[in-house]
Amino acid sequence: MDSPKLPMMALSLCPAIDTTLYLDGLRPVQELPVREEHSEAGGKGPNVAAALARLGIDCPCIALTGEENAAAFLRLAREAGVRCLPVPVAGRIRENLSLETPAGQFRVMRRGFSVGEEDLERLGEVLRRVVPPGAFLFAGGKLPDGIAPGRFAALCEALRDRGVQIGLDTAMVTPAEVRRIRPVVMKPNRLELGAITGLPVETRDQVLSAAALLRENGAQSVLVSLDAAGALLMDAEGCLEARAPSVEVRSSVGAGDAMFAWFCAARLSGASREEALRQAVAAGSAACRRYGTRPPEPCDVAELLPQVTLAAPMA
């Protein structure tokens, strides 16, 4: 992949330390030995930046970081090749647990720090100082206590007014916030698409209608991940679908972030929408074959790319 034509950055307002524990099973009122475990710097911003690091693309991640465990988070980010620009706040970064068992995966999502008005003012100053006009900024993920969707939209709106292009991936907005942000690309999965729009998304036609609503509210391109089925892209040129290859799924956590990172990097490098969609689906599928939230290696994506097929384009 060629180098992107714009600088790429990420914004993480609610990062995480994601720890995966591998157990032989869950049994109540018993000690459960852990066979293996590992921790990673998580959240959509760090996950996207880590995926881009595998491509040799520097994507600094501006992250609100709870001071109590920031050192551990920053160490894990460095190990993943992510250059973090921390904005310290009081409290702890949320620490999530994924329990991998023969019966399936169980995820425990913990609460993290709260954000005050002074924190928001300091964050705004950092964004104005370090995000250059014309940059592409990945923004999204969970919002911490203290940042309402409207305030998040205002942050993105101010950046967009300075010429920053926004790639949006969060379920914590409504079409009204999307209209304020006007993202260049928006990437929900099927469930997030339903949560954002309030529309049913069970059938393909329903997914198309919900994606069209986001387009009507200012999203230039809408990339919908459809789990094992692949992904759908809707933009001004119409709609494309890509079918994913069949893979052994070890963990789907972070697969959508890898998909988003590869799609945007490909488009910003000059790839066609068709090629960018194929690469995105191959990257998401390759990520599913890895344990935890680890992003795929380019060789893994190249292996799966020939197996990604495009459906006929729709007007």
Side-chain angles (χ1 to χ4, degrees), residues 5-142:
K5 299 174 183 177
L6 300 176
M8 304 181 80
M9 304 186 75
L11 173 63
S12 184
L13 301 178
C14 193
I17 296 175
D18 289 327
T19 297
T20 303
L21 306 179
Y22 297 87
L23 310 173
D24 291 326
L26 290 177
R27 297 175 297 278
V29 203
Q30 292 189 28
E31 293 185 357
L32 303 174
V34 174
R35 290 188 289 104
E36 181 186 352
E37 68 177 89
H38 58 80
S39 298
E40 293 154 321
K44 290 187 181 294
N47 288 347
V48 164
L52 292 173
R54 295 297 191 276
L55 289 167
I57 297 171
D58 180 37
C59 179
C61 181
I62 305 155
L64 292 178
T65 48
E67 294 174 319
E68 293 179 23
N69 56 352
F73 172 82
L74 295 173
R75 175 181 57 79
L76 292 168
R78 285 194 300 272
E79 290 174 359
V82 176
R83 182 161 61 94
C84 266
L85 306 178
V87 181
V89 297
R92 294 182 65 81
I93 297 169
R94 60 195 173 106
E95 298 183 29
N96 300 329
L97 291 175
S98 293
L99 308 180
E100 296 283 352
T101 77
Q105 182 186 79
F106 299 84
R107 300 193 69 197
V108 181
M109 313 301 287
R110 302 174 71 180
R111 296 182 65 178
F113 51 73
S114 296
V115 177
E117 190 61 35
E118 291 184 2
D119 299 320
L120 283 168
E121 292 176 3
R122 192 165 64 255
L123 173 63
E125 292 173 0
V126 171
L127 292 172
R128 287 189 292 273
R129 186 175 72 251
V130 305
V131 182
F136 185 97
L137 180 74
F138 293 94
K142 294 184 180 297

Side-chain angles (χ1 to χ4, degrees), residues 152-300:
F152 170 69
L155 282 172
C156 293
E157 189 177 25
L159 289 163
R160 193 207 66 232
D161 288 345
R162 293 178 49 237
V164 176
Q165 298 188 34
I166 305 293
L168 184 64
D169 185 4
T170 181
M172 303 186 75
V173 292
T174 66
E177 279 88 40
V178 176
R179 191 159 54 246
R180 292 182 64 183
I181 297 169
R182 298 205 300 273
V184 174
V185 188
M186 187 169 182
K187 193 220 72 67
N189 61 32
R190 185 195 294 267
L191 293 179
E192 291 167 340
L193 181 64
I196 294 164
T197 62
L199 297 176
V201 289
E202 297 302 318
T203 69
R204 177 177 168 280
D205 286 344
Q206 289 172 342
V207 169
L208 290 172
S209 295
L213 179 62
L214 296 183
R215 287 258 307 133
E216 292 165 8
N217 280 276
Q220 294 181 29
S221 298
V222 180
L223 175 66
V224 184
S225 55
L226 301 172
D227 301 319
L232 178 149
L233 173 67
M234 181 179 288
D235 58 18
E237 297 182 52
C239 185
L240 282 175
E241 285 186 74
R243 300 187 181 93
S246 178
V247 299
E248 178 186 358
V249 178
R250 293 188 172 95
S251 173
S252 61
V253 182
D257 303 324
M259 173 184 288
F260 196 26
W262 277 72
F263 177 82
C264 294
R267 287 297 275 161
L268 292 175
S269 300
S272 68
R273 59 200 286 268
E274 293 85 357
E275 182 58 23
L277 182 58
R278 290 182 66 244
Q279 291 195 29
V281 169
S285 299
C288 287
R289 301 198 301 183
R290 298 174 70 85
Y291 291 110
T293 58
R294 297 168 183 170
E297 298 292 343
C299 59
D300 301 326

